[in-house]
Amino acid sequence: QVDLVESGGGLVQAGGSLRLSCTASGRPFDIGGMGWFRQAPGKAREFVAAIRWTGSNTYYGDSAEGRFTISRDNAKNTVYLQIRSLKVEDTAVYYCALDPSRDGSTGYIHWGQGTQVTVSS
């Protein structure tokens, strides 16, 4: 069992910033990469950002719009998502996910429970 625990969500005013964290723990596991997804009410889950666990490759979805920054701390098995200039439309449950494969072939098979981000106008 691999557990992913997100934190850092909450209620914030438009224009503000948040930093989400996600820490992986559990049985011995490999981390090939971790990612962030979000799901707004009534909408499908969408990709936000991803980072490989070696090297410097990062990936962003269209929704990131240059306001999101993903980073990692390998020693802590933790991935972060910094969100700046928050908009009301960023309101969603944010999930982190883990891909254990170095080449990305497995995909995201471990998921956290999500953390709610609510942006008020």
Side-chain angles (χ1 to χ4, degrees):
Q1 178 73 22
V2 176
D3 295 316
L4 301 179
V5 179
E6 301 102 333
S7 62
L11 175 64
V12 64
Q13 284 193 325
S17 299
L18 277 178
R19 189 177 81 155
L20 307 182
S21 302
C22 174
T23 299
S25 64
R27 63 175 170 81
F29 58 90
D30 291 325
I31 304 178
M34 294 185 73
W36 287 95
F37 296 75
R38 70 183 185 182
Q39 187 165 20
K43 295 188 177 182
R45 187 173 297 187
E46 66 174 344
F47 169 72
V48 175
I51 189 166
R52 304 310 297 172
W53 223 241
T54 58
S56 59
N57 288 351
T58 58
Y59 309 89
Y60 294 93
D62 293 340
S63 59
E65 299 176 335
R67 299 181 293 114
F68 292 52
T69 303
I70 190 169
S71 60
R72 68 177 195 250
D73 185 332
N74 292 44
K76 296 181 179 179
N77 289 336
T78 298
V79 65
Y80 304 97
L81 185 69
Q82 179 73 43
I83 314 173
R84 301 175 299 277
S85 302
L86 277 154
K87 303 178 180 180
V88 172
E89 49 265 42
D90 292 323
T91 296
V93 178
Y94 285 71
Y95 299 90
C96 74
L98 186 153
D99 171 9
S101 59
R102 297 292 180 95
D103 61 1
S105 58
T106 300
Y108 295 106
I109 61 171
H110 302 291
W111 290 82
Q113 293 299 307
T115 185
Q116 176 71 48
V117 172
T118 302
V119 184
S120 63
S121 59

